[in-house]
Amino acid sequence: MSAVHSTLRSTRSLAISGLAVVLLAGCASFSQDGGFNSVATTARERLKKEVMWSRSDADQDTIAQRVAELLSKPLSVDAAVQLALLNNRGLQAAFADLAISESDLVQAGRLPNPRFAMLRGSQSGPDGREYSIEQAITFNLFSLVTMPQVSAIERRRFEQTQRMVSLEMLRLASETRKTYYTALAAEQSVRYALQVRRAAEASAELARRMAQVGNFNKLQQAREQGFYADAALGSARAEQASVASREQLTRLLGLWGQQAQFTLPERLPDLPQAPNELPNVEQMAMTQRLDVQAIRLQTEALANNLGLTKTTRFINVLEFGPTRMLEGKADAGYKKGYEVSFELPLFDWGTAKVAKAEALYMQSLNIAAQTAINARSEVREAYQGYRSSYDIARHYRDEIMPIKNRISEENQLRYNGMLIGVFDLLADARAQVASVNSTIEALRDFWIAEADLEMALIGKPKLNPPTRSMAASNAD
């Protein structure tokens, strides 16, 4: 009995030592918010928006009421972003990554289960049946020693998951903002295309009647009919683009059924009086971007993984626990003792594991460096795109459209004085079509460029190439 007590005392001592190490490192447990508070804080600080994680029927009812409230009036860009953050199911699915990662963290901080083993054999002997029975309960003591390191690694992974989910939320907000402006500009273009089509239709009809009475030649009639055909084609294409962009916005907002009949304002917001001056835009991006912070945390976690792998490469499992054995007759009594087992590094010295951990760490280092290079380049490109888009939109607003308007006013005066005919007036209106469409596109591109810049300052943007075509520029 004394040997057994000694063994149990030794086991208890080791377990208590392991527990002490664990307690000093800080035991992990499920948090009240599941790590969601950091995401909600990011939404408040970076977007000035609220975000909810739907984990119950009550949460879903609250979200449904808020969605209905936002849809009750024409959507502003802020309302669209808020709607997407609350109602996009893909984002809700991303929130589940928080729970998965926190479960791994809690699991890493919990004691391993004991292992029970039993061996039983018997055979008939000259004095009756003889038995051989071995029973053992062992504990993986080495996992207790490494538990603080494993918990620290999982905690970094959890923090990294929080940043990745926050990035996903910011990407959704940015995509919603850009798609909103695209859909709004498309609807504005459709309304203008319908006006042009009605004017072209009236012009073609007038030309047809004048040709019937002999006041119009075939060339003039064909020219007006060609304008009508182009206007009809332009209207159809504008309608097609509007439907596509509106459906894309609907998907981002997570709407379906009657909700998809949401209303947008009639026109794009006006151009600001002046663009934002950001002389330290690269420095701002390096301190604010969550993707840079996430890859830094990942690299730190891999460095810790590498250290742990180097430490444990010789011993994978060290198990210790009390045992008892019976040999001979069933009433011979158990012999009691303890069992220690661990893996002997005869064939596997752990070099492959260490090499893999080193490769992963070096890979992460290069990814982190490339991420920093990309971040600086992306924010420079985004800021340059923002400034040039503002200059282009302002040029249309302050230079091109006033000139076109003056030409129209002069033609109207000449038409009123019977110096030019109605077809001259229509030809002038035809010449303005490209300018008006280009003005709408320039204003749309500015707001999209602003959304790209905002995203580039806090995360990886999805930069769009310039959408203005050379043909459109030449048409101006």
Side-chain angles (χ1 to χ4, degrees):
M1 291 296 291
S2 60
V4 174
H5 288 162
S6 176
T7 302
L8 292 176
R9 279 197 299 273
S10 301
T11 305
R12 191 182 303 114
S13 176
L14 285 171
I16 291 173
S17 300
L19 283 173
V21 174
V22 172
L23 291 173
L24 287 174
C27 291
S29 60
F30 285 103
S31 59
Q32 292 290 330
D33 64 301
F36 185 68
N37 275 349
S38 66
V39 180
T41 301
T42 301
R44 285 194 299 271
E45 293 179 350
R46 306 295 179 94
L47 302 174
K48 312 299 181 191
K49 298 289 182 297
E50 58 178 319
V51 63
M52 285 188 64
W53 185 1
S54 177
R55 287 181 284 185
S56 64
D57 292 340
D59 292 340
Q60 189 57 45
D61 290 342
T62 303
I63 291 175
Q65 292 175 5
R66 184 72 176 119
V67 168
E69 179 185 346
L70 291 170
L71 290 175
S72 63
K73 49 191 175 184
L75 280 179
S76 65
V77 63
D78 288 335
V81 172
Q82 180 61 83
L83 190 54
L85 295 184
L86 292 175
N87 205 44
N88 186 280
R89 293 306 178 93
L91 183 62
Q92 291 291 330
F95 292 157
D97 289 339
L98 295 171
I100 296 171
S101 182
E102 189 179 39
S103 298
D104 292 338
L105 172 61
V106 172
Q107 185 64 45
R110 288 185 172 174
L111 296 175
N113 290 322
R115 177 169 169 266
F116 174 74
M118 178 176 178
L119 182 147
R120 182 182 186 280
S122 65
Q123 66 177 2
S124 298
D127 299 329
R129 197 161 190 82
E130 297 181 348
Y131 295 88
S132 176
I133 300 174
E134 296 181 11
Q135 298 173 346
I137 297 178
T138 56
F139 297 86
N140 188 343
L141 298 181
F142 200 73
S143 65
L144 296 179
V145 178
T146 59
M147 187 181 295
Q149 288 178 280
V150 175
S151 295
I153 291 170
E154 292 298 337
R155 179 164 297 282
R156 285 192 174 88
R157 285 179 178 167
F158 182 50
E159 293 172 355
Q160 184 185 359
T161 301
Q162 288 177 309
R163 283 174 170 76
M164 297 306 294
V165 172
S166 296
L167 269 178
E168 185 64 27
M169 177 193 64
L170 296 175
R171 271 196 290 267
L172 173 63
S174 179
E175 284 301 307
T176 302
R177 193 177 295 272
K178 292 162 62 176
T179 307
Y180 172 87
Y181 288 127
T182 303
L184 189 53
E187 288 196 1
Q188 192 173 344
S189 296
V190 167
R191 284 191 288 273
Y192 180 67
L194 290 176
Q195 294 176 11
V196 173
R197 178 177 176 175
R198 285 194 289 268
E201 186 176 13
S203 174
E205 178 62 20
L206 180 59
R208 186 184 65 81
R209 293 182 181 183
M210 292 185 68
Q212 283 180 342
V213 297
N215 292 332
F216 232 47
N217 59 42
K218 294 293 182 183
L219 177 60
Q220 291 172 313
Q221 183 186 3
R223 184 179 294 119
E224 297 305 323
Q225 288 178 340
F227 175 51
Y228 172 63
D230 290 341
L233 181 62
S235 176
R237 285 177 172 168
E239 184 70 28
Q240 185 183 39
S242 177
V243 170
S245 58
R246 186 182 174 90
E247 288 300 329
Q248 185 180 359
L249 181 60
T250 301
R251 290 192 291 272
L252 291 172
L253 299 181
L255 303 178
W256 65 290
Q258 191 63 29
Q259 292 177 330
Q261 305 302 320
F262 59 88
T263 306
L264 295 176
E266 291 190 355
R267 57 190 300 273
L268 288 162
D270 292 333
L271 195 67
Q273 290 299 319
N276 293 325
E277 298 290 344
L278 301 175
N280 300 321
V281 66
E282 291 183 45
Q283 184 179 356
M284 292 172 61
M286 295 306 294
T287 56
Q288 294 181 164
R289 282 184 59 143
L290 295 183
D291 58 334
V292 176
Q293 297 176 8
I295 191 63
R296 179 175 57 80
L297 283 175
Q298 179 181 339
T299 305
E300 291 177 357
L302 287 174
N304 284 279
N305 288 350
L306 176 59
L308 182 61
T309 303
K310 286 180 176 178
T311 303
T312 61
R313 61 177 173 169
F314 295 117
I315 302 175
N316 283 333
V317 177
L318 173 61
E319 293 185 338
F320 179 84
T323 64
R324 66 176 189 173
M325 298 171 291
L326 182 146
E327 293 180 348
K329 300 296 184 182
D331 57 354
Y334 281 93
K335 300 175 182 177
K336 298 177 182 178
Y338 59 87
E339 177 182 298
V340 179
S341 66
F342 60 90
E343 181 179 298
L344 296 175
L346 296 180
F347 308 107
D348 182 6
W349 289 78
T351 53
K353 294 179 181 178
V354 173
K356 180 181 178 181
E358 288 176 345
L360 289 173
Y361 176 63
M362 292 305 299
Q363 182 186 51
S364 183
L365 275 181
N366 286 313
I367 291 176
Q370 188 62 48
T371 300
I373 293 171
N374 291 346
R376 296 174 76 95
S377 174
E378 287 165 354
V379 76
R380 286 196 304 268
E381 181 182 354
Y383 184 61
Q384 183 60 35
Y386 166 78
R387 290 302 306 266
S388 60
S389 297
Y390 181 86
D391 293 340
I392 292 171
R394 184 175 59 182
H395 186 71
Y396 273 104
R397 184 193 65 182
D398 297 344
E399 300 295 336
I400 294 179
M401 288 311 298
I403 292 174
K404 298 293 183 181
N405 290 335
R406 281 201 299 273
I407 292 174
S408 295
E409 291 171 359
E410 291 295 327
N411 281 327
Q412 186 66 45
L413 291 174
R414 282 163 176 72
Y415 173 75
N416 294 339
M418 301 182 67
L419 298 176
I420 60 173
V422 64
F423 288 103
D424 296 318
L425 199 62
L426 290 172
D428 174 66
R430 184 163 56 238
Q432 288 203 35
V433 171
S435 298
V436 173
N437 284 328
S438 297
T439 302
I440 295 173
E441 291 175 358
L443 190 55
R444 176 203 63 191
D445 291 346
F446 165 75
W447 289 114
I448 290 177
E450 187 193 56
D452 279 337
L453 176 60
E454 290 179 359
M455 186 61 195
L457 287 170
I458 55 180
K460 185 175 180 58
K462 185 179 179 181
L463 297 175
N464 293 322
T467 55
R468 292 281 294 130
S469 65
M470 290 301 296
S473 299
N474 294 334
D476 297 342

